[in-house]
Amino acid sequence: MIFAAGWISVASADEGCLASAQSDLERLYCEVVERGGGAGLPSMVDFKRNDPKVQALLLRQPAKRLSLTLPEVSATPEPGSKPELATSQREPAKESRSEPSVTRGLAGCLLRGEFIQCPKVTYELEGNRSLASLDDGVLEPRNRLGIVPFDGGRNDDEAVRSYLSAAYDRYILKMLAIGLGANTMSFTAFHNAFQTLENSDVDFSKRMGQTYELLKQDRKTLGVKARYHDELPENLSMCETVDRDVIVCDNVGINWVFVRAN
């Protein structure tokens, strides 16, 4: 969700923009740039790398300034794609996979629609929250994402997995803090973002921090839907605990966050 290499650059229109556009959002991007609203947008190549939700986020303000309509964004995977279950060990989805199993931390729990019922506690599906419901100060500069830079070798799978597991847990909690429980990315998407950015010599932690600041600014002025779809996880093999208060489930294409009920 956070590909925006060239974030600070000014996108410039070219003759091939509309010819290369493959979606309504990409066509809107071309129109925004053509009308002179491309300041701050990434290049078309980098724009295409983003998840549709982030493409819409990037275009929201410039489109509004130009009185252009932002198309609806589907939360489901692209047609023809085949989402796979994320593993409980926080590994990105792969082609081959053994039968999924419930993680040890969720043993004894039951998935009941929008609730996960565990022996001593219940978790409820979290959507996006209204601006008025947020805690004081969460949208201020002092609330930063705070993911530390990766200082290991990118070919060290264990080091990468350990780093991203801790970073992802922090990311989820920070997204909840600004009321965007329905706008989180799956661990697989998070992992892929890390690999793409770092392989392009872009600091993953810095880019994530920039994206978080953008989300905070948009939260101050723009409303959000509580949810974007009615789909629910199929079973607990899709789920993993973040901490004692938060459980994350995903089918790679869709992410769900469940929060401990009071």
Side-chain angles (χ1 to χ4, degrees):
M1 283 180 63
I2 47 77
F3 296 106
W7 186 284
I8 306 302
S9 67
V10 177
S12 59
D14 60 70
E15 295 179 357
C17 186
L18 283 173
S20 67
Q22 297 179 336
S23 69
D24 289 341
L25 283 166
E26 290 175 11
R27 284 185 282 274
L28 178 61
Y29 170 95
C30 294
E31 186 171 359
V32 166
V33 171
E34 184 179 1
R35 294 194 184 190
L41 289 176
S43 69
M44 181 55 141
V45 172
D46 291 320
F47 182 80
K48 284 174 173 284
R49 293 173 178 167
N50 284 285
D51 178 277
K53 288 183 184 178
V54 176
Q55 289 182 346
L57 173 66
L58 292 170
L59 289 173
R60 187 177 294 162
Q61 290 286 17
K64 183 179 180 181
R65 286 193 291 269
L66 294 169
S67 298
L68 298 174
T69 302
L70 197 68
E72 288 289 327
V73 179
S74 171
T76 56
E78 292 295 317
S81 65
K82 296 180 179 180
E84 300 177 66
L85 300 183
T87 67
S88 60
Q89 288 76 30
R90 289 277 178 84
E91 296 179 3
K94 298 178 182 178
E95 289 298 322
S96 60
R97 190 175 306 286
S98 59
E99 287 297 315
S101 59
V102 176
T103 61
R104 186 167 50 187
L106 296 177
C109 299
L110 296 173
L111 179 62
R112 300 186 183 279
E114 296 183 1
F115 297 89
I116 295 176
Q117 182 67 58
C118 296
K120 295 183 179 180
V121 64
T122 298
Y123 297 84
E124 184 175 1
L125 180 63
E126 182 80 354
N128 290 331
R129 294 164 52 196
S130 67
L131 182 62
S133 70
L134 302 183
D135 292 340
D136 292 341
V138 294
L139 301 182
E140 298 306 315
R142 64 178 179 273
N143 177 36
R144 297 189 176 277
L145 182 61
I147 292 176
V148 299
F150 179 65
D151 61 0
R154 289 200 296 270
N155 293 326
D156 186 340
D157 291 343
E158 185 59 35
V160 168
R161 187 160 51 247
S162 177
Y163 167 78
L164 289 178
S165 182
Y168 186 71
D169 287 352
R170 183 172 181 84
Y171 158 76
I172 290 294
L173 296 177
K174 285 292 187 175
M175 288 292 281
L176 288 174
I178 60 174
L180 293 179
N183 280 82
T184 59
M185 71 176 92
S186 70
F187 182 74
T188 297
F190 196 78
H191 182 281
N192 290 343
F194 170 83
Q195 295 290 358
T196 300
L197 290 171
E198 291 285 336
N199 288 340
S200 300
D201 293 323
V202 177
D203 188 315
F204 172 74
S205 63
K206 183 177 180 180
R207 185 53 47 80
M208 286 292 294
Q210 291 173 331
T211 304
Y212 192 67
E213 294 305 306
L214 177 63
L215 291 171
K216 283 163 52 182
Q217 290 304 311
D218 272 3
R219 287 257 50 197
K220 293 179 180 180
T221 58
L222 300 174
V224 292
K225 292 183 178 179
R227 296 179 190 171
Y228 299 98
H229 56 84
D230 296 323
E231 296 188 50
L232 294 168
E234 296 177 3
N235 53 64
L236 286 179
S237 66
M238 297 179 170
C239 305
E240 172 79 11
T241 57
V242 169
D243 61 19
R244 65 187 298 273
D245 295 321
V246 179
I247 296 171
V248 174
C249 307
D250 80 90
N251 65 4
V252 179
I254 301 175
N255 215 51
W256 296 271
V257 181
F258 291 78
V259 176
R260 184 186 184 105
N262 293 329

